[in-house]
């Protein structure tokens, strides 16, 4: 009976542009780290190109380990005892998934867990594409409180009977998926399909996590002076003592061993200062002290105490006001939970409106989007259901989205509207505003919807709210999105930096080839060809990590002037509403772009919208943060 209901509900026969064979998947797991934790249950519903359900499978799995948070998934060791192992069902699962697009809510999570489980079973996950319904609904941009499965189910009228049950969640997902495809079709959105395995291949045998140095960098080695704990030491060339022993002894003494030389390096150890190595050349250019191996070993025997990194405590006093080197209006103070948000001015004419710009030269579009933000609005990058107005510049009348915009009944304006936007609102617009106001009055007794995200200008800063006392802090998600590109590929990357704005070790550079740092506190998620996310577990970052920089780089000869606007959103968790939103589009010839940074300020973490571009590529950007990159 359930299969018949689903077949009817998932009729996709009229959505020919979205005709694929689908495999809708949900897993319950013993934890959140795919390389460590295990799958406890899995459900798969397969759908044909005509929208008819062709199969359904679900099973509990015995992971052979502790099942983890039973209070979340309800799967006790007793319930799992006697269930098959993943290896025993791998062949059957593979047959269901083969030649289908894997669909899941937060698809990278499910994909990574399945990839690890198939690898443990000494086989491979036969999936060549995946689609995330979370990413697709972010593109549609519905007027909902968040993007959780239950919230979307309620919005689309899909019945949910048992949350965190793999089979029920998959059946709910099927209803959400069908409805979301129809909304995406109304907007003419391309599906955010991700090729699998992606370039950020799962690391089935990751290296043991490295330990960040516990001491602050005291500066450079002084002539005749001792080594101090926390000094950054690099080694180059051949050494009589094995490199591994030198590093081990140095780390045990409290030194910070680095793999590249920068202006923050305390000393370079080499037996041939004229070797011409990249480290030796950089040391000479930066004036870094150079000592030989024997001198270093002598100093190593008497390393003196250094200053420990101080981890901020919840009881710490509020930080002193920050000196911000930019126009005063660029700094946006954080809202206070118990008070009205005074910083978000409600008397600006475009407050609460989201405006899409069509056509124009790159420079003209940049000016228009900047003006929208000045007027209190939010500049949209793509067409979605949150767009309230459209500004048409020269050539915008030929944009392929015009027909969709007309179908949605969105008001169209020319560039002059941005001079006095409130003066030309139509009677229909006013009537719609009155209707919305009436609806808000009717909903006063209902749970309040979160406020719209804070729109930050370039350089804008906002404090990140701390979780309630006793509540685990969720990882922050910084998502970058752009208009889909045909001839270039954009990579979002992150650097976890110390007080010198250098990586502690190369593995704190997170990119497509290494999608998480050793501790798993900073991760890259690929949600589609035009959207990537950096997640940051602020509660677990070591005290040495003072800042995480999020950037984007273009692979190839294109520039960000060709790409256009890049939207950056910061949200507390993957399905939560965004707290802050910024649009970066002032780039012209730049091939790398600093998007945002999250940094410590006393006991508070802050988010800053940066928007600083560089003409060089990803390699030079990484070298600037102390990453050893081959020439």
């Amino acid at each position: 009976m359930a299969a018949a209901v689903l077949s009817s509900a998932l009729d996709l026969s009229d959505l020919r542009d979205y005709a694929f064979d689908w495999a809708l998947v949900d897993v319950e797991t013993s934890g959140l780290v795919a390389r460590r934790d295990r799958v406890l249950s899995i459900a798969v519903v397969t759908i044909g190109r005509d929208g008819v359900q062709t199969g359904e499978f679900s099973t509990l799995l015995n992971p052979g380990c502790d099942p983890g948070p039973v209070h979340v998934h309800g799967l006790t060791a007793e319930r799992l005892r006697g269930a098959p192992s993943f290896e025993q069902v791998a062949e059957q699962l593979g047959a269901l998934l083969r030649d289908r697009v894997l669909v899941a809510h937060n698809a990278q999570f499910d994909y990574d867990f399945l990839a690890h489980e198939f690898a443990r079973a000494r086989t491979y996950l036969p999936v060549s594409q995946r689609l995330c319904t979370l990413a697709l609904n972010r593109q549609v941009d519905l007027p909902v409180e968040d993007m959780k499965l239950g919230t979307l189910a309620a919005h689309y009228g899909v019945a949910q009977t048992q949350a965190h049950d793999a089979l029920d969640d998959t059946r709910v997902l099927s209803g959400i998926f069908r409805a979301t495809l129809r909304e995406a079709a109304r907007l003419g959105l391309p599906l955010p399909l991700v090729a699998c395995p992606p370039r950020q291949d799962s690391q089935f045998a990751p290296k043991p996590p490295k330990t960040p140095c516990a001491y602050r960098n005291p500066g450079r080695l002084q002539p005749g002076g001792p080594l101090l704990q926390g000094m950054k030491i690099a080694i180059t060339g051949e050494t009589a003592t094995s490199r591994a022993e030198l590093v081990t002894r140095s780390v045990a003494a409290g030194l910070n061993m680095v793999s590249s030389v920068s202006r923050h390096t305390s000393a370079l150890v080499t037996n041939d200062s004229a070797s011409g190595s990249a480290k030796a050349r950089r040391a000479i250019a930066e004036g870094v002290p150079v000592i030989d191996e024997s001198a270093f070993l002598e100093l190593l025997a008497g390393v003196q105490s250094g200053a420990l990194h101080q981890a901020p405590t919840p009881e710490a006093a509020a930080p002193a006001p920050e000196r911000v080197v930019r126009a005063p209006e660029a700094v946006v103070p954080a809202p206070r939970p118990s008070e009205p948000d005074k910083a978000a001015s409600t008397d600006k004419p475009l407050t609460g409106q989201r405006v899409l710009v069509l056509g124009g030269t790159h420079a003209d579009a940049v000016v228009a989007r900047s003006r929208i933000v000045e007027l209190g609005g939010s500049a949209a990058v793509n067409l979605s259901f949150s767009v309230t107005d459209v500004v048409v510049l020269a050539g915008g009348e030929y944009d392929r989205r015009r027909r969709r915009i007309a179908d949605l009944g969105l008001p169209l304006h020319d560039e002059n509207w941005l001079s006095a936007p409130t003066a030309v609102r139509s009677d229909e617009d006013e009537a719609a505003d009155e209707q919305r106001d009436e609806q808000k009055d009717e909903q006063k007794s209902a749970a309040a919807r979160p406020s719209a995200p804070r729109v930050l200008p370039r350089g804008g800063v906002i404090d990140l709210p701390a979780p309630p006392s006793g509540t685990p802090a969720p990882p922050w998600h910084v998502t970058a999105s752009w208009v889909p590109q045909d001839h270039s590929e954009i990579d979002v990357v992150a650097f976890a930096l110390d007080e010198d704005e250098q990586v502690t070790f190369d593995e704190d550079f997170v990119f497509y080839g290494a999608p998480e740092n050793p501790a798993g506190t900073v991760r890259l998620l690929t949600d589609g060809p035009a959207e990537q996310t950096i997640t940051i577990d602020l509660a677990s970052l070591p005290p040495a990590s003072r800042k995480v920089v999020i950037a984007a780089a273009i692979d190839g000869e294109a520039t960000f002037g060709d790409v256009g606007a890049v939207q950056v959103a910061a949200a507390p968790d993957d399905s939560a509403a965004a707290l802050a939103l910024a649009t970066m589009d002032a780039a012209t010839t730049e091939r790398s772009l600093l998007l945002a940074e999250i940094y410590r300020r006393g006991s508070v973490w802050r988010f800053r919208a940066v928007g600083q571009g560089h003409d060089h590529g990803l390699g030079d950007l990484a070298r600037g943060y102390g990453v050893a990159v081959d020439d």
Side-chain angles (χ1 to χ4, degrees), residues 260-261 282 502 618-631:
S260 63
V261 173
R282 185 70 185 271
Q502 300 285 288
L618 181 57
D620 288 334
L621 182 68
R623 290 187 189 96
Y625 288 119
V627 179
V629 179
D630 294 335
D631 293 326

Side-chain angles (χ1 to χ4, degrees), residues 423-438:
V424 295
R425 288 182 61 79
S426 65
D427 293 340
E428 291 80 3
D429 293 332
E430 298 297 339
D433 286 344
E434 291 178 7
Q435 184 178 4
R436 283 193 290 268
D437 290 340
E438 291 174 0

Side-chain angles (χ1 to χ4, degrees), residues 199-222:
R199 287 188 296 163
Q200 63 236 53
D201 292 345
S202 301
Q203 298 174 331
F204 298 121
K207 297 178 181 179
K210 297 182 179 181
T211 304
C213 183
Y215 301 92
R216 295 177 61 86
N217 182 8
R220 291 183 174 174
L221 176 66
Q222 298 301 312

